[in-house]
Amino acid sequence: MNSQSDTLKSSSPSPDEELESSLIQRKDELSMEIDPPSNSSATAEDWRNALSKVVPAVVVLRTTACRAFDTESAAASYATGFVVDKRRGIILTNQHVVKPGPVVAEAMFLNREEIPVYPIYRDPVHDFGFFRYDPGAIQFLNYEEIPLAPEAACVGLEIRVVGNDSGEKVSILAGTLARLDRDAPHYKKRSVSETERLNKHPESLDGYNDFNTFYMQAASGTKGGSSGSPVIDCQGRAVALNAGSKSSSASAFFLPLEQVVRALEFLREGRDLSPDKWPAPSIPRGTLQVTFVHKGFDEIQRLGLRQDTELIVRRASPSEETGMLVVDSVVPGGPAHMHLETGDVLVHVNGEVMTQFLKLENLLNDSMNQKIELRVERGGTSMTVELLVQDLHSITPNYFLEVSGGVIHPLSYQQARNFRFNCGLVYVADPGYMLFRAGVPRHAIIKKFAGEEISSIKQLISVLSKLSRGARLPLEYVTYADRHRRKSVLVTIDRHEWYAPPRLYTRDDSTGLWTVKPALTTNSLHQEPIMKHVSEVDTQRLIIDKNDVFLMEDTQQDSQKLVDTTTSMETKSDHVSEGTLLRGETEGNSSLLEHREENLEDSTIRETATLLENQSTEGVASHTSVAESVIEPTLVMFEVHVPPSFMVDGVHSQHFFGTGVIIHHSESMGLVVVDKNTVAISASDVMLSFAAFPIEIPAEVFFLHPVHNYALVAYDPSALGAVGAKMVRAAKLLPEPPLRRGDTVYLVGLSRSLQATSRKSIVTNPCAALTVGSADCPRYRAINMEVIELDTDFGSTFSGVLADDQGRVQAIWGSFSTQLKYGYSSSEDHQFVRGIPIYTISQILDKILSGAKGPPRLINGVKWPMPRVRSLEVELYTTLLSKARSFGLSDEWVQALVKKDPQRRQVLRVKGCLAGSKAENILEQGDMVLAINKKPVTCFLDIENVCQELDKDADTDGNLSMTIFRQGRETEVMVGTDVRDGNGTVRAINWCGCIVQDPHPAVRALGFLPEEGHGVYVTRRCHGSPAHRYGLYALQWIVEVNGKPTPDLDAFVKVTKEIQDGEFARVRTIHLNGKPRVLALKQDLHYWPTWELRFNPETSQWCRTTIKALDTAVV
């Protein structure tokens, strides 16, 4: 049932029944079958005859849950079903196979005929559901429907369970019905420790569980894949429906068919009344929102049942009756809330003794929207209550809101029972990107948003319709594990078009699809913020006290600026410096404040800046170094989120933290440098918190160096306000002279609480050649870099800058990402920190500020040149001259290289060329690079400087004359260089749920591209998508679609636009290891339209464009 693991775990059922205490102590796990059981052959003649009729009617169901919904996650899985009505085309299976949310499914018959099937009904409580299909689509198989015979089930009956083996073949398992009155199994999804933390209540689990029914039990040994299998007798009749098993034993659990037969009759009647089209089913289901359990008379006596009541019940019940129904739980807000309690013993309903689930359920179904009278005993006291039977379908959600990749819908009866919340609350089935970024977990209940109480999806949509892109607003939620306390977070509305606008999906049982329409009007998510708690504040003021500074700024400003910045009121409490409190004015007459602001603005700003500087200086004088006091106002804490819709370039996480330093700060733009393990790709949402001033503002990725491990991030200085802009300043860079061994440096960084910390250290190696291996999933790794090593290990997470005793920055202390591998199959992500010399950063900064040639990039309304970087796209490594001599390098060259660089005493060797580079097929692995343009080279910087010299010559052809040593011979070769910008990957396409892009440098660094062309590289796939369903995995190239080559993204778009909805596409792929593969993939434009996300440097916006979709699809 689980969307990814295909296995659900469970505590032992009936935790309160003493007769089964031994089973409870074992805590055996239960599993919904998605994977198949082993094969078993029948031998008796009567079973042969029965199975010859049954087996052709059993189908393999391949289901794909397209969205997370209710208890289910988005996933693809296998299961079983069987035909129960051949003429009308109805297949019976489990509810957890049909899924409560959007599902796409196919049924494969015995002869491998595959047809699409559509859900027509899933029971809200019991584990059964129906698919429909077109009987005329089966052309080559003779089969008969399997009759349902619930009355044939009895203890000792020999049965066979007919299922599938992972969709490959039929599996038949034998067994004998041992029990007909087993409690419904509890399937758990959480770990044992989590379950114990939730007081070991099975109802506290978040998965699907059946209740208010008995189950049958047999030792048939079914495993995954046989969910929905028929349990047949020797006459070929289905006596039960296989539902689950206990993974630690051979026990299997079967659902009785009485309610299945009733529902099937309603479906048949509805179809007969509408022969041209399947109608939406109308199956009356009543509920009191009460969970009952069946307990024996001995235990009920201990609960206080009177002897005269027991006598009445025994006389009115069949002789085999052994107990009564007891209230196990009551859902808050339901018909029985405040009327029934846990432990109440049910005696009469409408004057009739009621001891069986089936009898009670039939009465509720027939009394929907009517009142019934219940007599219960509570601790020996008889009570009579009158309750209204509720329509069960009315509390079963049939729609959901999709916003920023998240799924939100009313809380279902199933989850309300699990979590003990009211039905209909606003439930987060999947947080998506926006809510995940704010820290809202799955299964949360949204209570308040943007200052408004939220009790329905309609109210949530109303609030969203008023919001602007980039707005940050408070949201309150609760979780079932901590239900008595609301948690408050800041939600940031997506500033870029990472996802489609909010959409509302509604289930259509007549078609089996979920129709979609926009949740907001076309002009919603406008540019002018309307946050009530901000827009009502016309002005803010400065109130200065010797201990606290309350900052209140004018909020009547340009609407676009408000979209792109944050106000002081939105600052997180854990980012506020000690002794400084940031607040927003929410009371008072704004017109009175306006005049005062005009008179006091200039003086208060100066006084506030002076006060903060004095407070900082006083603290520094007694506790910190000069370097720390100078560097602290230049430090910035990064919080970076990457949207899952654009997780390209092998980025390995959605959330990053790190420390950067301001290297430029003017009225029009601020620039911060940080390592690429913090800002990995350009498609990121970046928030900056400043050490000099307690405020948090958004920023944009400006430049990603193609080779070195740093990125430049731009912010709007006006977002800091007048006081903040004066407090924040840029660091002074000291690119020359370079650090040498033995130099004293100060490592200055920030803690998570924005407290500056400095540590004095000694440089042990200023030019350590860095070697980082390739990860399993190729991502950026630093190559051709020399880093700075210190004499002290400051841990793997502390980052900042290296400065001299005057606070001049000589290097950034940055984080590097790597992967530690254990054996052949296991690996673990790891990070370490090293110093990155500031001169490489200073060179790029000079190009930006001097207006060097390059494509323009809009930042804060001003176009800035984007520097281009020329490089030799070759991965190099160093070899000691002593070893180079052993390879045959002459004494003359050894002496020349030592003379050039007495310190390093090394030679550069070629490890490999980036695929597709101009150096490919010219340089070979193992080549020693001796000289470029007749000048000896000994380090990576030498090659970098030569490449930069080429840019100064307008007539250059971009080639380098290189002297190399190859296989004992000295050779002269001409090698081309490549020019790259700092934008990173700026375009990706989502097709059938897989994200494709041009091969990024980390992939090309592996030295291989398909011969058919560079192709399009699959970097990620989405759960529940066709790519997931048909096995189009990441880490491979798509080189051909339907026989047409796809050498680049434009060709790929052209080919895929020709594929219609529901058509199969023949896709040829090549894996990173060079292995080719061909697969067929069915396009689903309803749930998975084709779209493109591209960065526009003219507007500095990420724009989403629909390439191909249905009229009813989300775009």
Side-chain angles (χ1 to χ4, degrees):
M1 174 178 162
N2 186 284
S3 61
Q4 297 178 22
S5 66
D6 295 341
T7 301
L8 298 180
K9 300 178 180 180
S10 165
S11 308
S12 295
S14 303
D16 298 322
E17 185 172 345
E18 292 184 0
L19 295 178
E20 296 186 3
S21 60
S22 61
L23 294 178
I24 297 174
Q25 293 174 359
R26 291 175 58 188
K27 298 182 181 177
D28 292 332
E29 296 181 344
L30 308 177
S31 65
M32 290 285 190
E33 286 89 7
I34 299 299
D35 290 329
S38 59
N39 193 19
S40 178
S41 300
T43 58
E45 186 65 27
D46 52 349
W47 283 111
R48 288 197 190 97
N49 294 333
L51 291 172
S52 65
K53 298 178 181 179
V54 169
V55 170
V58 177
V59 299
V60 175
L61 293 172
R62 293 186 174 98
T63 62
T64 304
C66 304
R67 299 290 190 276
F69 188 86
D70 198 19
T71 59
E72 304 299 314
S73 300
S77 57
Y78 289 95
T80 306
F82 59 98
V83 177
V84 293
D85 194 313
K86 177 181 178 181
R87 182 172 66 87
R88 300 176 182 86
I90 302 177
I91 293 175
L92 172 64
T93 186
N94 290 129
Q95 190 259 20
H96 70 266
V97 176
V98 178
K99 311 294 184 186
V103 64
V104 175
E106 295 88 26
M108 186 177 68
F109 282 77
L110 183 65
N111 65 340
R112 295 284 177 167
E113 284 190 78
E114 186 177 79
I115 58 173
V117 295
Y118 305 93
I120 51 175
Y121 181 73
R122 68 277 282 161
D123 193 84
V125 171
H126 299 315
D127 198 7
F128 73 91
F130 297 95
F131 284 109
R132 64 171 176 85
Y133 69 98
D134 180 9
I138 304 299
Q139 303 177 14
F140 308 103
L141 178 67
N142 292 323
Y143 66 98
E144 298 296 332
E145 65 188 48
I146 298 177
L148 304 181
E151 70 282 353
C154 61
V155 174
L157 178 69
E158 289 192 32
I159 50 95
R160 298 292 186 270
V161 181
V162 185
N164 80 84
D165 185 1
S166 287
E168 298 298 331
K169 57 185 179 181
V170 174
S171 177
I172 302 172
L173 295 177
T176 302
L177 290 183
R179 292 184 61 183
L180 304 182
D181 58 352
R182 190 198 189 281
D183 290 335
H186 291 291
Y187 306 99
K188 70 178 182 180
K189 286 187 177 180
R190 294 186 172 272
S191 65
V192 174
S193 61
E194 289 177 302
T195 304
E196 291 175 350
R197 182 173 57 86
L198 297 175
N199 299 322
K200 301 181 182 179
H201 286 296
E203 295 81 7
S204 297
L205 308 175
D206 55 31
Y208 168 79
N209 286 299
D210 204 343
F211 56 95
N212 286 350
T213 183
F214 285 125
Y215 265 64
M216 303 177 191
Q217 179 178 328
S220 61
T222 60
K223 300 297 180 184
S226 59
S227 284
S229 300
V231 181
I232 64 168
D233 63 5
C234 60
Q235 301 180 40
R237 301 175 300 176
V239 299
L241 178 67
N242 185 41
S245 69
K246 186 174 294 185
S247 60
S248 59
S249 68
S251 297
F253 311 120
F254 312 136
L255 176 71
L257 296 179
E258 285 83 1
Q259 292 300 324
V260 176
V261 171
R262 174 179 178 270
L264 181 60
E265 289 302 318
F266 277 103
L267 292 178
R268 286 169 171 167
E269 292 175 5
R271 178 58 170 160
D272 292 342
L273 294 175
S274 179
D276 298 331
K277 179 182 178 182
W278 270 96
S282 178
I283 302 175
R285 295 285 276 117
T287 183
L288 299 175
Q289 296 193 37
V290 177
T291 301
F292 291 95
V293 293
H294 190 272
K295 295 184 180 293
F297 284 115
D298 56 337
E299 186 173 354
I300 297 175
Q301 288 176 0
R302 293 193 289 272
L303 293 176
L305 182 69
R306 297 184 303 185
Q307 291 185 354
D308 57 337
T309 303
E310 179 181 351
L311 180 62
I312 294 173
V313 172
R314 284 185 179 272
R315 287 179 177 177
S317 304
S319 58
E320 60 271 15
E321 182 57 76
T322 59
M324 300 173 65
L325 298 179
V326 179
V327 175
D328 183 64
S329 65
V330 179
V331 175
H337 187 226
M338 306 298 292
H339 298 286
L340 297 181
E341 296 180 1
T342 300
D344 288 351
V345 181
L346 181 62
V347 181
H348 290 154
V349 178
N350 288 345
E352 183 178 1
V353 172
M354 196 68 60
T355 62
Q356 292 291 312
F357 290 114
L358 180 60
K359 188 175 180 181
L360 174 62
E361 193 163 44
N362 287 336
L363 187 148
L364 294 177
N365 292 338
D366 296 337
S367 305
M368 195 172 64
N369 297 323
Q370 301 177 20
K371 289 186 176 182
I372 60 174
E373 185 179 84
L374 283 76
R375 180 190 164 198
V376 299
E377 281 199 9
R378 182 180 301 166
T381 302
S382 179
M383 301 177 60
T384 300
V385 296
E386 191 178 68
L387 302 177
L388 177 66
V389 180
Q390 190 176 17
D391 182 1
L392 181 56
H393 296 298
S394 68
I395 56 175
T396 301
N398 63 349
Y399 66 93
F400 66 86
L401 174 68
E402 186 175 53
V403 53
S404 190
V407 174
I408 305 171
H409 61 75
L411 187 66
S412 68
Y413 178 30
Q414 184 73 231
Q415 293 290 55
R417 172 181 171 270
N418 287 340
F419 303 154
R420 297 182 298 281
F421 283 132
N422 291 26
C423 290
L425 297 178
V426 180
Y427 168 73
V428 179
D430 185 346
Y433 175 59
M434 183 178 73
L435 295 181
F436 169 82
R437 180 182 174 189
V440 179
R442 190 184 176 199
H443 307 311
I445 303 295
I446 297 176
K447 305 297 290 185
K448 196 174 184 179
F449 188 31
E452 297 186 24
E453 293 290 335
I454 303 296
S455 60
S456 67
I457 299 295
K458 184 178 180 180
Q459 290 177 322
L460 179 60
I461 293 175
S462 176
V463 172
L464 286 172
S465 67
K466 305 172 186 177
L467 302 182
S468 59
R469 290 193 177 276
R472 306 191 74 198
L473 304 106
L475 180 144
E476 295 181 7
Y477 69 91
V478 296
T479 62
Y480 64 91
D482 194 10
R483 64 180 55 247
H484 302 296
R485 291 186 296 178
R486 289 190 179 188
K487 296 180 176 63
S488 181
V489 296
L490 274 178
V491 173
T492 303
I493 307 301
D494 292 345
R495 301 179 64 214
H496 299 279
E497 296 178 359
W498 305 128
Y499 291 89
R503 298 284 168 141
L504 196 63
Y505 284 81
T506 304
R507 191 180 71 213
D508 184 355
D509 289 321
S510 62
T511 63
L513 297 174
W514 290 61
T515 60
V516 59
K517 65 179 182 180
L520 310 179
T521 58
T522 55
N523 61 349
S524 295
L525 291 181
H526 48 80
Q527 295 298 312
E528 182 179 357
I530 53 81
M531 295 178 290
K532 183 178 180 180
H533 65 287
V534 174
S535 62
E536 289 181 352
V537 183
D538 293 326
T539 57
Q540 296 183 338
R541 58 180 178 171
L542 289 165
I543 305 175
I544 301 181
D545 183 80
K546 67 177 181 179
N547 294 322
D548 298 309
V549 178
F550 298 86
L551 178 62
M552 302 170 184
E553 295 180 331
D554 185 10
T555 60
Q556 289 185 334
Q557 48 187 301
D558 182 74
S559 60
Q560 180 63 42
K561 185 181 296 183
L562 276 174
V563 172
D564 296 334
T565 62
T566 54
T567 65
S568 59
M569 191 163 62
E570 295 160 356
T571 302
K572 295 182 180 179
S573 59
D574 59 347
H575 288 169
V576 178
S577 300
E578 183 179 359
T580 303
L581 181 62
L582 205 57
R583 296 183 182 176
E585 180 68 73
T586 58
E587 298 179 357
N589 189 315
S590 61
S591 62
L592 296 178
L593 291 174
E594 185 175 9
H595 178 70
R596 183 178 180 183
E597 175 71 22
E598 293 175 353
N599 294 332
L600 299 180
E601 180 178 9
D602 293 337
S603 61
T604 53
I605 288 175
R606 289 193 299 269
E607 291 175 10
T608 303
T610 302
L611 175 62
L612 290 174
E613 289 175 352
N614 290 340
Q615 290 176 342
S616 176
T617 303
E618 291 174 2
V620 167
S622 57
H623 299 290
T624 63
S625 63
V626 174
E628 179 179 328
S629 64
V630 173
I631 292 295
E632 182 177 9
T634 71
L635 295 181
V636 175
M637 177 65 72
F638 278 74
E639 184 176 10
V640 182
H641 287 85
V642 179
S645 61
F646 204 84
M647 289 190 70
V648 296
D649 294 358
V651 61
H652 60 288
S653 177
Q654 285 184 242
H655 194 196
F656 299 92
F657 283 94
T659 302
V661 59
I662 301 171
I663 59 174
H664 176 74
H665 181 75
S666 65
E667 293 183 358
S668 58
M669 182 179 67
L671 284 178
V672 186
V673 63
V674 69
D675 58 74
K676 288 173 69 173
N677 196 32
T678 302
V679 176
I681 61 174
S682 54
S684 303
D685 282 314
V686 181
M687 297 300 296
L688 303 181
S689 298
F690 295 79
F693 188 72
I695 194 170
E696 186 179 40
I697 64 173
E700 297 290 341
V701 180
F702 179 70
F703 179 83
L704 292 168
H705 198 283
V707 179
H708 295 303
N709 181 32
Y710 71 85
L712 301 183
V713 176
Y715 64 89
D716 184 0
S718 65
L720 298 171
V723 176
K726 291 182 178 294
M727 296 297 299
V728 172
R729 61 174 178 261
K732 185 175 181 180
L733 308 184
L734 186 62
E736 296 292 341
L739 285 171
R740 295 173 299 177
R741 183 179 180 182
D743 284 351
T744 299
V745 293
Y746 289 85
L747 171 58
V748 185
L750 290 177
S751 66
R752 286 292 179 87
S753 59
L754 288 183
Q755 300 298 315
T757 303
S758 63
R759 305 168 187 181
K760 189 176 180 180
S761 187
I762 303 296
V763 175
T764 57
N765 190 347
C767 52
L770 192 65
T771 301
V772 179
S774 179
D776 295 335
C777 177
R779 60 175 184 256
Y780 169 78
R781 60 187 178 93
I783 62 173
N784 300 348
M785 282 189 65
E786 289 186 341
V787 295
I788 301 167
E789 295 179 344
L790 304 179
D791 65 341
T792 307
D793 182 7
F794 297 112
S796 62
T797 60
F798 185 79
S799 58
V801 300
L802 299 181
D804 64 3
D805 55 1
Q806 299 179 42
R808 294 174 296 183
V809 175
Q810 296 173 288
I812 65 170
W813 191 246
S815 176
F816 292 77
S817 175
T818 185
Q819 192 175 74
L820 300 180
K821 297 184 178 181
Y822 308 97
Y824 295 100
S825 58
S826 61
S827 59
E828 179 180 320
D829 288 332
H830 180 68
Q831 65 181 22
F832 61 92
V833 285
R834 294 291 187 272
I836 304 172
I838 201 66
Y839 56 76
T840 62
I841 302 168
S842 178
Q843 291 171 352
I844 294 296
L845 178 63
D846 291 342
K847 290 182 179 181
I848 296 173
L849 299 181
S850 63
K853 294 181 180 180
R857 171 74 184 275
L858 186 68
I859 296 293
N860 305 328
V862 179
K863 290 187 177 181
W864 295 84
M866 173 65 67
R868 293 183 182 272
V869 177
R870 184 180 295 276
S871 64
L872 180 67
E873 292 198 332
V874 177
E875 184 174 357
L876 303 167
Y877 67 99
T878 61
T879 296
L880 294 176
L881 289 177
S882 58
K883 291 187 177 295
R885 190 190 296 270
S886 301
F887 282 99
L889 187 63
S890 65
D891 290 341
E892 291 79 7
W893 272 110
V894 170
Q895 293 174 8
L897 295 177
V898 170
K899 182 179 179 180
K900 165 68 171 59
D901 193 342
Q903 179 182 0
R904 291 181 174 86
R905 296 174 177 268
Q906 65 187 20
V907 65
L908 297 179
R909 302 192 70 183
V910 175
K911 185 175 183 180
C913 298
L914 271 68
S917 68
K918 294 180 180 179
E920 189 180 24
N921 301 324
I922 299 178
L923 296 178
E924 297 179 2
Q925 184 176 5
D927 287 350
M928 295 184 188
V929 181
L930 305 178
I932 297 179
N933 298 334
K934 304 301 182 179
K935 296 180 180 179
V937 294
T938 59
C939 63
F940 304 127
L941 182 60
D942 290 342
I943 296 181
E944 188 173 332
N945 290 335
V946 172
C947 291
Q948 291 182 5
E949 288 295 325
L950 292 177
D951 289 334
K952 297 178 181 180
D953 185 359
D955 299 327
T956 181
D957 57 1
N959 292 329
L960 298 175
S961 176
M962 300 183 66
T963 305
I964 63 172
F965 184 77
R966 177 186 297 170
Q967 297 179 356
R969 297 178 59 187
E970 182 181 324
T971 306
E972 297 286 336
V973 295
M974 295 296 294
V975 182
T977 55
D978 294 89
V979 178
R980 306 295 178 187
D981 59 30
N983 287 324
T985 298
V986 295
R987 184 188 183 192
I989 296 170
N990 188 302
W991 177 67
C992 291
C994 70
I995 301 175
V996 298
Q997 65 170 109
D998 288 322
H1000 55 92
V1003 173
R1004 297 193 299 113
L1006 299 178
F1008 168 75
L1009 286 175
E1011 295 178 357
E1012 295 82 351
H1014 293 178
V1016 293
Y1017 179 70
V1018 181
T1019 189
R1020 185 179 172 85
R1021 65 173 185 176
C1022 304
H1023 290 291
S1025 66
H1028 184 196
R1029 159 69 178 81
Y1030 294 98
L1032 181 55
Y1033 305 110
L1035 308 184
Q1036 54 187 334
W1037 288 274
I1038 298 177
V1039 297
E1040 190 178 283
V1041 177
N1042 285 343
K1044 298 180 181 180
T1046 56
D1048 52 42
L1049 289 178
D1050 290 331
F1052 180 78
V1053 170
K1054 183 177 179 181
V1055 172
T1056 55
K1057 284 180 70 173
E1058 300 173 357
I1059 305 171
Q1060 302 302 316
D1061 180 55
E1063 287 186 4
F1064 275 93
R1066 183 180 182 272
V1067 181
R1068 184 169 182 264
T1069 66
I1070 296 180
H1071 195 268
L1072 285 178
N1073 58 17
K1075 181 179 180 181
R1077 179 172 175 240
V1078 176
L1079 58 91
L1081 184 146
K1082 186 177 182 180
Q1083 181 157 261
D1084 178 9
L1085 294 176
H1086 182 78
Y1087 297 114
W1088 299 97
T1090 304
W1091 51 265
E1092 177 185 64
L1093 197 60
R1094 187 191 292 237
F1095 179 74
N1096 184 352
E1098 294 293 326
T1099 62
S1100 290
Q1101 290 292 315
W1102 289 88
C1103 302
R1104 179 188 176 105
T1105 304
T1106 301
I1107 296 174
K1108 190 176 183 65
L1110 297 178
D1111 293 339
T1112 58
V1114 60
V1115 294

